[in-house]
Amino acid sequence: MALGIMPYISASIIMQLLGMAVPAVQKMQQEGESGRKRINQWTRIGTIVICIFQAPTYITLYASGKVANMGGSEVSAFAHDAWSFTWISAIGLLVAGAMFAVWLGERITDKGVGNGISLLITVGILARLPQAFMAEVGLESQNLIKIVLEVFA
């Protein structure tokens, strides 16, 4: 789930903008439940398209960082051939992970717990909060002043 829920949010925003600009999408929005289902389906398809474009970039950025130092020569995590099985399978896994996040968000919404997509975003932010706090103040004792100033100022 490295790409997370953001491709779905981007596709949803695109569909909302298309609803203002394209008469066919406006008509779907006004059709009620059946139109909403078709718009949701188009949003899912848009999510897959966005993921297919984002995944190679994500993998390229990951592969550009050297992850191992073997005998003085650095080895990359991925093969350099962009059409290798490793790249294709990694792209497929990133797309599948993002679509799993979308599916999970929809199931949370269907169960009536709340807006599933918003809950997933909130959980992601809260999960990174301790790490962000420690990065902000550091672990040294002289940073105690920073902690006091940020909490009480």
Side-chain angles (χ1 to χ4, degrees), residues 76-152:
S76 179
F78 285 99
H80 291 288
D81 180 20
W83 291 104
S84 69
F85 177 73
T86 306
W87 277 73
I88 300 298
S89 61
I91 290 169
L93 286 171
L94 287 173
V95 172
M99 293 312 293
F100 174 74
V102 170
W103 175 81
L104 188 62
E106 289 177 354
R107 294 298 72 81
I108 291 170
T109 302
D110 290 345
K111 295 293 181 184
V113 177
N115 187 342
I117 303 298
S118 296
L119 286 173
L120 289 177
I121 293 170
T122 303
V123 167
I125 292 169
L126 292 175
R128 288 188 298 263
L129 193 61
Q131 178 184 0
F133 181 73
M134 293 310 291
E136 177 70 24
V137 297
L139 296 175
E140 294 104 23
S141 61
Q142 70 255 23
N143 288 335
L144 181 60
I145 295 171
K146 280 186 183 178
I147 294 171
V148 171
L149 287 175
E150 286 190 19
V151 170
F152 296 109

Side-chain angles (χ1 to χ4, degrees), residues 66-75:
K66 306 299 181 186
V67 295
N69 188 353
M70 297 186 167
S73 64
E74 292 181 341
V75 179

Side-chain angles (χ1 to χ4, degrees), residues 6-29:
M6 295 312 287
Y8 178 78
I9 293 171
S10 298
S12 179
I13 291 169
I14 290 169
M15 286 304 295
Q16 287 178 357
L17 291 174
L18 287 175
M20 290 186 269
V22 178
V25 179
Q26 285 178 347
K27 185 178 176 184
M28 275 194 289
Q29 287 176 338

Side-chain angles (χ1 to χ4, degrees), residues 32-53:
E33 186 67 24
S34 65
R36 189 183 64 79
K37 284 183 180 181
R38 281 195 293 168
I39 288 175
N40 283 344
Q41 187 63 32
W42 279 103
T43 304
R44 289 185 205 107
I45 292 168
T47 301
I48 293 171
V49 170
I50 290 170
C51 286
I52 289 172
F53 283 106

